[in-house]
Amino acid sequence: MFDVVTIGSATLDVFIESDSANIVSVSSKDKRSDFMSFPYGSKVEIDDFSRSLGGGAINTAMNFAHLGFKTSTVVKLGADEISPVICENLKASNIDTSNIIQAKEGLTGFSIILVSFQGDRTVLAHRGANASIREKDIDFSRLKNAKWLYIAPLAGESNRLLDKLAVYAQENNIKLSINAGTTAIKKGEKYFSKIIEIADILVLNKEEASLLTKISVRPDTKNEKFSKEFIHPDVIQMLKTLRGNNRVNVVITDGKAGVYAYDGNKFYKAPEFPAVVRSTLGAGDAFSSTFTAAMEKFNMDVKKALECASVNAAAVVEVFGAQEGFLTFDEIERKLKATPDFQVLSQNLEQIQ
């Protein structure tokens, strides 16, 4: 039996850091956009360079295993030299590889991550075999006794599996955590609502939540029931809409502003845990997988899960790589005790109605 099976993408990530990168901001009447730029036609010096495994399913599997969970992963690898490297590294991290799908042709997913001096990144991604996971590729009987299915964003044709995986989890009493990604959300509320009915945990960023609920956060909205330290009323409405009458614990991430959650009884806000940011790549995977692991470990305690997830995500952004900074639960607890000013706020539903 596996504690958790992650499902999603696997890539070889190449990280490139150059102080020659410029951040160019372009403003219009309605929006502002930032771009990373390099001098056109020139040779650009690289200040740091590294390679590591990546992809949502691999990053989260590594984290679950590091947190002490018996872990397997469902990913599709290409017929190339990267495939055995990924398998060997997973085995070295005590991750079961028996559910890996081996393509007979094509390439494994590959990403080039350009890291700016500010720590943010631009990702050049080739989906490769990640985009072609089919229902017939998966031996569902091997997932039957898992405690959790963790579904990372699915690319391309693979995204058609989301509802099938959700139904399989429901039919076999497997708890389900979903970090769906924009591709699935663009299928619309009607499609996604059926999946939310089944899920135990749903993690979205604020932009994805807005796209799915069609609720925008108005900058001039005021509500005296909410202190400045708590949650914007439009975000509250997003959380309530996503939760509906279901059992799902909804989590919305909002970058430097922190994280919001709703469990049907209480609303929560976790500020960003203090960190010196070197690269933000992998922070989302670290957060959502740690949140899921802590929900299992601490009997579905949302406040505790938000604390643990915030600490582990902060540890990841302080290093160059999506998997380098993972902490154990003991290390997370020590960080929390050493940072007493970090507090997760909460309010009951009745307080804001």
Side-chain angles (χ1 to χ4, degrees), residues 259-278:
V259 183
Y260 320 109
Y262 179 47
D263 62 6
N265 295 310
K266 287 186 177 182
F267 294 92
Y268 304 85
K269 179 179 178 180
E272 189 177 43
F273 194 82
V276 178
V277 178
R278 187 173 184 195

Side-chain angles (χ1 to χ4, degrees), residues 320-333:
F320 198 51
Q323 302 164 14
E324 303 305 315
F326 291 149
L327 303 175
T328 64
F329 277 118
D330 286 343
E331 290 169 331
I332 289 170
E333 291 292 348

